[in-house]
Amino acid sequence: MKKIIKFISIVLTFVMVCGMFACTDYETGYNETPAPTSTQENVPAEKTTVHVTALKGPTGMGMAKLFKGSDNNSALNKYEKTIESDPTLVSAAVLKGNFDIAAVPTNLAATLFNKGADMQVLALNTLGVLYVLENGNTINSIEDLRGKTIYATGQASTPEYILNYILRENGIEPGKDITVEYFTEHAELVTQMVSNKVAIGMLPQPNVTTAMTKNKDLRIALDLTKEFNAVSDGKSDVVQGCIVVNKTFAKNNPEAVQNFLKDYAASVDFVNNSPEEAALHIEEYGIIPAAAIAKQAIPTCNICCITGDDMKTKLNDFLKVLFDANPKSVGGKLPTDDIYYAG
């Protein structure tokens, strides 16, 4: 009998000890609040949904981390994204007001504004991305293009106006001192250069990297951003891409606009400083098909986030260059200061 009582006592003691441990674990889990991770800090509980439209290529590359942040709930807003390859589709959406925020070429922003689009420029997001490629070693300066035939893309748009401005400022008249033949598609010109059917071509990134990856004999002969800066004597920079915001959306959602600028600035910083990881996101969202190409192209895409007075000065100066080259390039007239978002 004593043995039975002793056994029961041991069992009861064991049960009590286990119960104490179970209780301790439960209370710790219930009362303790996990410390927020760095990506959760300052994220609002209720987020505004922002419809963002971006183009494939450099004007959309800076969005990669922003989109990823939205998907993993670390961004300040919730972003619904549309990635387009055709600028005319983005133009139509902006004109109709079917967007909140969009990334577009700068001359297109001016043209749309002059057509009455309910939009303003929020930030500059891409500087110069144009380069002259050569299969050979005969082109080392703009003067070396004299008398040559160069193949290009972007006729009747910013690339043509930039090239013509640089040529004329160097005393080379397009159509007289140089022949410029235009392809409709970047991919077509890349194919021609890769197959050695074209020796000299002007392309934007990331098409430059694509061509050079497929044909190791190609080299960057001229950086047209540097050439533009040289002839403008520091009075203007190449500004090829910007971000526009729907005026009605901005008026009704000022905090969401400021949160977007914070998210986008952080995204641009990440893309520029972590190209390998950023390239994976760029491929994931279909902004560029291959991460390997994106990684190599990022350092020469001049992705940026420029706002405020600096944005206004740079874009005003660049649009003036385009207007002087061809008024139609900016919609027939220089836009008024109302084109700029003032916060």
Side-chain angles (χ1 to χ4, degrees):
M1 186 69 176
K2 290 181 179 180
K3 290 182 179 180
I4 294 173
I5 293 172
K6 185 176 181 180
F7 175 77
I8 292 172
S9 177
I10 292 171
V11 170
L12 288 174
T13 302
F14 177 79
V15 170
M16 289 176 63
V17 171
C18 289
M20 289 173 62
F21 278 116
C23 184
T24 302
D25 286 347
Y26 174 77
E27 289 177 351
T28 300
Y30 180 82
N31 292 326
E32 187 175 90
T33 302
T37 64
S38 60
T39 56
Q40 293 175 318
E41 293 175 359
N42 302 319
V43 176
E46 294 185 10
K47 301 181 183 182
T48 302
T49 297
V50 183
H51 299 268
V52 177
T53 301
L55 281 166
K56 293 183 178 182
T59 55
M61 289 167 69
M63 298 278 191
K65 183 64 173 177
L66 177 144
F67 291 154
K68 193 66 178 179
S70 179
D71 287 349
N72 65 25
N73 204 37
S74 64
L76 297 174
N77 294 319
K78 179 65 178 177
Y79 298 106
E80 291 189 356
K81 49 196 171 291
T82 301
I83 311 296
E84 300 283 9
S85 58
D86 186 352
T88 60
L89 296 178
V90 181
S91 299
V94 173
L95 277 173
K96 293 177 182 177
N98 296 336
F99 81 108
D100 295 332
I101 288 174
V104 300
T106 49
N107 73 306
L108 179 58
T111 300
L112 293 173
F113 178 83
N114 283 329
K115 286 184 177 181
D118 186 37
M119 49 134 283
Q120 290 180 306
V121 177
L122 189 61
L124 304 180
N125 76 338
T126 316
L127 301 180
V129 296
L130 292 173
Y131 298 85
V132 172
L133 290 181
E134 183 192 14
N135 186 341
N137 195 34
T138 65
I139 307 301
N140 295 289
S141 69
I142 294 296
E143 180 60 31
D144 291 336
L145 293 174
R146 189 183 296 274
K148 301 288 197 306
T149 295
I150 180 174
Y151 293 83
T153 56
Q155 188 173 25
S157 62
T158 306
E160 179 183 8
Y161 305 134
I162 290 172
L163 177 61
N164 287 350
Y165 173 73
I166 294 171
L167 291 172
R168 286 177 176 138
E169 290 297 310
N170 279 276
I172 301 173
E173 183 61 30
K176 179 182 177 182
D177 302 316
I178 183 176
T179 300
V180 184
E181 300 285 349
Y182 284 93
F183 285 87
T184 304
E185 299 291 336
H186 301 316
E188 186 180 4
L189 180 51
V190 168
T191 298
Q192 294 295 309
M193 297 208 74
V194 169
S195 62
N196 294 322
K197 294 179 180 178
V198 166
I200 306 170
M202 180 185 76
L203 281 165
Q205 284 287 22
N207 299 280
V208 169
T209 299
T210 300
M212 294 178 68
T213 300
K214 295 180 178 180
N215 186 340
K216 301 300 182 181
D217 292 330
L218 295 175
R219 69 179 186 93
I220 293 178
L222 299 171
D223 178 342
L224 293 189
T225 298
K226 291 181 179 179
E227 298 297 337
F228 183 96
N229 291 343
V231 296
S232 67
D233 196 26
K235 296 177 182 177
S236 178
D237 293 314
V238 175
V239 185
Q240 289 192 245
C242 66
I243 295 173
V244 298
V245 62
N246 185 308
K247 284 178 65 177
T248 301
F249 175 83
K251 180 180 179 181
N252 295 334
N253 301 276
E255 184 177 359
V257 173
Q258 293 305 314
N259 284 339
F260 168 83
L261 287 173
K262 293 175 184 176
D263 281 339
Y264 184 68
S267 184
V268 167
D269 185 64
F270 176 82
V271 170
N272 285 328
N273 292 303
S274 303
E276 186 167 359
E277 187 177 352
L280 297 175
H281 302 328
I282 290 169
E283 178 184 330
E284 177 183 354
Y285 295 112
I287 301 169
I288 289 178
I293 297 297
K295 177 187 173 183
Q296 292 183 57
I298 285 170
T300 52
C301 282
N302 293 312
I303 298 166
C304 63
C305 180
I306 300 173
T307 60
D309 291 340
D310 198 15
M311 165 187 71
K312 182 176 178 180
T313 298
K314 288 181 182 298
L315 188 52
N316 275 345
D317 292 343
F318 183 65
L319 292 179
K320 179 66 165 57
V321 170
L322 296 184
F323 176 81
D324 289 343
N326 186 340
K328 291 182 180 179
S329 67
V330 295
K333 61 182 179 180
L334 289 171
T336 64
D337 281 353
D338 288 340
I339 194 175
Y340 298 106
Y341 176 79

